[in-house]
Amino acid sequence: MNYLENVRVGLDAVKSNKLRTTLTALIISIGIMALVGILTSIEGIEKSINDSFASIGANSFTIRNQGINIQIGRSGTRPKRFAPIKFDQAIAFKEQYNHPGIVSASVGITGSGIIKNELDQTNPNITVIGTDENHPITSGYTIALGRNFSLNELEAASPVTIIGDEVRAKLFPNNTDPINKIISIGSQKFRVIGVFAPKGSTPGGPGDKICTVPIFKAKQLITNPNSSYAITVMVNSMQEMESATGEAIGIFRNIRGVETIKENNFEIVKSDAVAATLISSLSYVTIAATVIGIITLIGASIGLMNIMLVSVTERTREIGIRKSLGATPTVIRRQFLVEAIIICQLGGLGGVFLGFLIGNALSSLLGGGLVFPWIWMLGGLVLCMIVGLISGIYPAIKASKLDPVEALRYE
């Protein structure tokens, strides 16, 4: 019997036992769906992270009073926290730093702000920060409407603001022009002078839920004495990163009064390092997804083996007839192995399809994009073939060893 004949017989066997085949294929589908779905969503999130940081550029770094704190569960280490970077220190660095590039200083005011106008208000999830004229460039934003802060507005601490696209959509629906309109940030009134272009959600950033005010105005609004300013430096090319970072460290050590023999009391965080940390943290989720998928497939393989053993028992007379007509033990083994693989592949195809849909849905909800994880999809089908072989080998051997005379007498 050739392989095509084995496939035809296997499909006939599947059709004759629809309920058992469906249940087994469903268990396999769930395992593959969990595996492909989670890995697809992770791949989409990784793509989103890389795209988000690519918009800022890998040729930038930020001076902070602490390192990045990205933890999955209890993994990772808590970064050191140093004394806050004060307003005067941030401004002094900006004035003294002479390396070719762009320097921006910023400070967080709140991460749960409510922005209002006369008609509506946002949810309490708007990030309000004080920035300077260079913030859009160093943070990867583009001003779609209006303009940037002027030097006069910055120095005079003018009550003006640039809002994110989500804030604009909430407070000024139906394409209403927000420029020169008055909004309230907390108890303060501000005039809208610009709107950022849509950026989408970004890992570790506010995305479109942002509202910026002049940094000198932010200094007046901040009541927390421990607020720390951040300084972002964008150089012209990656080749200049080492020299730019070295000069920044030297200048800021002097500003912070760090003695020669002591370590830095601040952190240098490179933008590509943030992306790498986020992506490496997802590896734990990948491991968990793989373990879940494998455990489910082990259960499915046991169920498939039991079904194949039942099938061998029910088809004992059929096996006897085939042997009496000249079928060898090898042909019988091959027949049952092919049947097991067919059932696994049916479940695998369903699982891959559902995993692709669910994975991309999760990726979209978490800020990722549409991805086609061909490697994981093909890997899932190969894994199903292996499961089919392992599950079908014992029933196939048992069937091939049946005595043809006894098999023909079986009732």
Side-chain angles (χ1 to χ4, degrees), residues 82-93:
F82 301 103
I85 298 174
K86 299 299 184 181
F87 173 81
D88 295 339
Q89 294 174 342
I91 298 302
F93 178 87

Side-chain angles (χ1 to χ4, degrees), residues 58-231:
N59 56 328
S60 65
F61 60 90
T62 302
I63 303 174
R64 300 162 53 93
N65 73 318
Q66 62 175 342
I68 53 176
N69 183 17
I70 301 170
Q71 292 180 295
I72 302 295
R74 296 183 179 180
S75 63
T77 57
R78 188 175 297 275
K80 293 181 180 179
R81 180 187 290 271
F82 301 103
I85 298 174
K86 299 299 184 181
F87 173 81
D88 295 339
Q89 294 174 342
I91 298 302
F93 178 87
K94 188 176 177 181
E95 293 173 349
Q96 296 178 30
Y97 190 73
N98 294 320
H99 194 283
I102 300 172
V103 181
S104 173
S106 62
V107 62
I109 299 175
T110 180
S112 56
I114 299 176
I115 315 300
K116 306 176 183 178
N117 63 4
E118 295 178 352
L119 301 176
D120 207 346
Q121 68 179 36
T122 66
N123 294 324
N125 60 353
I126 306 301
T127 298
V128 183
I129 59 177
T131 64
D132 57 20
E133 74 283 4
N134 291 330
H135 174 263
I137 299 175
T138 58
S139 299
Y141 283 96
T142 302
I143 297 178
L145 296 174
R147 58 178 177 81
N148 198 359
F149 299 129
S150 68
L151 293 178
N152 287 335
E153 288 169 337
L154 288 168
E155 293 174 357
S158 301
V160 292
T161 182
I162 305 174
I163 59 177
D165 186 69
E166 190 164 326
V167 179
R168 177 206 59 77
K170 179 67 174 178
L171 300 183
F172 303 99
N174 303 320
N175 293 322
T176 303
D177 187 3
I179 303 302
N180 292 322
K181 299 294 193 304
I182 302 301
I183 63 173
S184 297
I185 303 175
S187 60
Q188 300 282 326
K189 301 288 186 181
F190 287 82
R191 179 169 58 90
V192 178
I193 64 168
V195 179
F196 292 122
K199 188 178 183 181
S201 59
T202 56
D208 295 327
K209 300 175 182 178
I210 189 173
C211 187
T212 64
V213 302
I215 192 169
F216 289 88
K217 183 67 176 178
K219 184 175 182 293
Q220 300 174 1
L221 299 176
I222 293 174
T223 58
N224 182 6
N226 294 320
S227 293
S228 183
Y229 288 72
I231 305 163

